[in-house]
Amino acid sequence: MPAPLSFGLIGAGWIGSFHAETLANRLPGARLAAVADPVPGAAERLPAPRAYRDPMDLIADPSVDAVAICSPAATHADLVVAAAQAGKHVFCEKPMALTLDDADRAIEAAGAAGVALQVGFNRRFAPDFAEMRARIVDGAIGTPQLLRSLTRDPGITAEVAARLKPWTIFNETLIHDFDTLCWLNPGARVTQAYAQADALIHPQFADTGFLDTAVVQIRFDNGAFAIAEASFQAVYGYDIRGEVFGSGGVLQAGRAPENAAARNTELFADAYVAQFAHFVECVRTETAPSVTGHDARVALEIALTARESVETAAPVTLNAVLR
């Protein structure tokens, strides 16, 4: 029996806390060696033998073989680069970066160091989404023609909305849907996006760039159309679904609204664990993870295109996005 993979985790927020419990208690192939968070006492609350304030101290810890990055999005690319250069395998929550240049920097650092780099697009590991993808690959519904992915969060207060960064709805929420749509249309590339977004829940923040409701129309180079939509105010709970209509039928995945869970970690609990199990196996077998830095870059490019589309009120071709 191989020794458990030793993880250091950066970021003790709600998703970091869930991942810490997974690495410490839910996954026999892993152990949680250390946690880093700059907030006093935050790292100490999680089940790790060592706590740090500075993530660079955690990355330098010789007992850490792999780093799980769960800190704010703006820190991700620099931490991926630092961990890779230290020879640590990297699991990074989405988004891996906020610019394409930073995404390239992260991918290149992992490649140069020869370490595994996996990004946290957890829907790929949910059984119903994974089954839908497998059936599409097997040709069960013919050629995909119309795709849909939606994310509806259960509500956001004005106090929380005021603290979130502009364009969060694309960079941190719909980026899941962009990855899902690409994954469910294998071999196809997004060529154009047209996005509309507004602050319908908290209109007082519209001028700051914090938008809470969005619809993005996407065109693929194989002719398929897709719709990604998001709202931060589903009063009935998390609602995450996907659908692919093809020349020979239709497939669906996700929860119906009446069954929506109260929290995202409840809705995708098994998928959150499964993605780490996959990462551990990839490190052990020296194989590339199925969710790569390149996949994260593709989703980011769509997110940046959607932002530019909102700003210009026009469709945007992907190779003309902001960098």
Side-chain angles (χ1 to χ4, degrees), residues 80-160:
V80 171
V81 171
Q85 290 177 343
K88 315 290 186 178
H89 301 287
V90 183
F91 176 95
C92 184
E93 267 299 338
K94 54 74 194 170
M96 183 184 69
L98 293 175
T99 70
L100 295 181
D101 287 342
D102 278 349
D104 290 337
R105 212 163 42 87
I107 293 167
E108 289 165 8
V115 299
L117 171 59
Q118 181 175 326
V119 181
F121 289 122
N122 57 286
R123 291 182 204 181
R124 296 188 182 209
F125 296 91
D128 50 352
F129 279 88
E131 180 182 359
M132 180 162 67
R133 152 80 180 199
R135 293 189 66 190
I136 291 168
V137 171
D138 288 342
I141 59 166
T143 303
Q145 296 174 341
L146 296 170
L147 300 90
R148 184 184 182 211
S149 182
L150 65 85
T151 298
R152 296 173 185 162
D153 288 352
I156 185 169
T157 66
E159 290 75 18
V160 172

Side-chain angles (χ1 to χ4, degrees), residues 23 57 94 106 214:
L23 297 171
D57 292 337
K94 54 74 194 170

Side-chain angles (χ1 to χ4, degrees), residues 129-320:
F129 279 88
E131 180 182 359
M132 180 162 67
R133 152 80 180 199
R135 293 189 66 190
I136 291 168
V137 171
D138 288 342
I141 59 166
T143 303
Q145 296 174 341
L146 296 170
L147 300 90
R148 184 184 182 211
S149 182
L150 65 85
T151 298
R152 296 173 185 162
D153 288 352
I156 185 169
T157 66
E159 290 75 18
V160 172
R163 296 196 301 268
L164 294 182
K165 300 294 185 182
W167 309 107
T168 292
I169 199 163
F170 295 135
N171 295 340
E172 301 189 42
T173 300
L174 277 166
I175 200 162
H176 270 299
D177 301 271
F178 300 149
D179 177 71
T180 299
L181 291 168
C182 292
W183 180 60
L184 293 176
N185 194 7
R189 180 183 179 277
V190 174
T191 59
Q192 187 183 75
Y194 175 55
Q196 293 179 293
D198 206 342
L200 302 184
I201 302 161
H202 297 297
Q204 67 271 35
F205 299 121
D207 292 341
T208 71
F210 177 75
L211 308 173
D212 50 46
T213 308
V215 177
V216 185
Q217 180 178 314
I218 293 168
R219 188 72 192 269
F220 288 91
D221 62 0
N222 67 347
F225 295 96
I227 294 291
E229 67 166 83
S231 170
F232 291 159
Q233 190 74 13
V235 296
Y236 50 82
Y238 271 102
D239 185 3
I240 296 174
R241 286 176 278 155
E243 177 181 281
V244 180
F245 172 87
S247 57
V250 66
L251 294 169
Q252 297 175 326
R255 303 291 182 91
E258 61 269 18
N259 296 323
R263 292 185 61 84
N264 198 21
T265 47
E266 296 172 20
L267 187 62
F268 285 106
D270 292 342
Y272 281 124
V273 177
Q275 66 181 354
F276 275 103
H278 174 74
F279 179 75
V280 170
E281 183 64 17
C282 289
V283 171
R284 282 180 176 165
T285 59
E286 297 183 348
T287 56
S290 63
V291 193
T292 66
H294 174 72
D295 294 325
R297 188 190 192 280
V298 168
L300 175 63
E301 186 176 9
I302 302 169
L304 294 175
T305 304
R307 169 183 171 174
E308 185 172 343
S309 178
V310 170
E311 292 177 325
T312 61
V316 178
T317 301
L318 255 69
N319 60 11

